[in-house]
Amino acid sequence: MIIDTIALVLVLIGALLCVTAAIGLLRFRDVPSRLHAATKPQVLGLLLIAIAAGLSLRSWAAVAMLVPIVVIQMATAPLSAHMVGRQAYRNRTIDAGALVADELADDDERPEDAGRSQ
């Protein structure tokens, strides 16, 4: 009974975090803010839901299926956010005035300009 209650609370918190991520994707104004909303709360929400599913099912086989799901999500979310952010920087859809540090300033070569410089 107590484990089921804990699992229910974890599912509710995880779902709330996923809804927060979706609202952030719709409401935030620029790409870096949207990436922040899309990665951090969504990954934490999925982690909480996976823990709740593991607690609720009480099976090592279920845990064995949930661990790769969480690991793959934690590995791919930052990678995809990096790719989207880099492409937004190349497309110049990021407000340059909002950047605290521009570490890509020296690497500002667009793909279509890559062959012309040589």
Side-chain angles (χ1 to χ4, degrees):
M1 178 71 179
I2 292 175
I3 292 177
D4 289 335
T5 304
I6 292 171
L8 177 66
V9 169
L10 289 176
V11 166
L12 290 175
I13 294 172
L16 181 66
L17 285 170
C18 291
V19 168
T20 303
I23 291 171
L25 276 174
L26 294 174
R27 299 287 297 175
F28 287 159
R29 63 176 179 87
D30 59 351
V31 174
S33 299
R34 287 180 178 168
L35 288 177
H36 180 77
T39 54
K40 291 180 178 56
Q42 192 270 332
V43 170
L44 183 58
L46 177 73
L47 178 66
L48 292 177
I49 290 171
I51 291 171
L55 287 174
S56 179
L57 294 173
R58 296 181 184 104
S59 161
W60 287 112
V63 172
M65 289 296 292
L66 292 170
V67 167
I69 292 171
V70 170
V71 168
I72 289 171
Q73 178 68 32
M74 292 178 88
T76 58
L79 180 64
S80 62
H82 174 78
M83 299 291 285
V84 170
R86 180 93 180 205
Q87 189 60 39
Y89 183 85
R90 284 183 175 177
N91 290 339
R92 304 191 195 295
T93 55
I94 292 179
D95 181 19
L99 296 176
V100 175
D102 190 2
E103 295 177 353
L104 297 175
D106 295 336
D107 192 30
D108 194 21
E109 192 171 314
R110 292 176 146 197
E112 63 267 11
D113 296 337
R116 295 184 193 157
S117 63
Q118 296 175 352

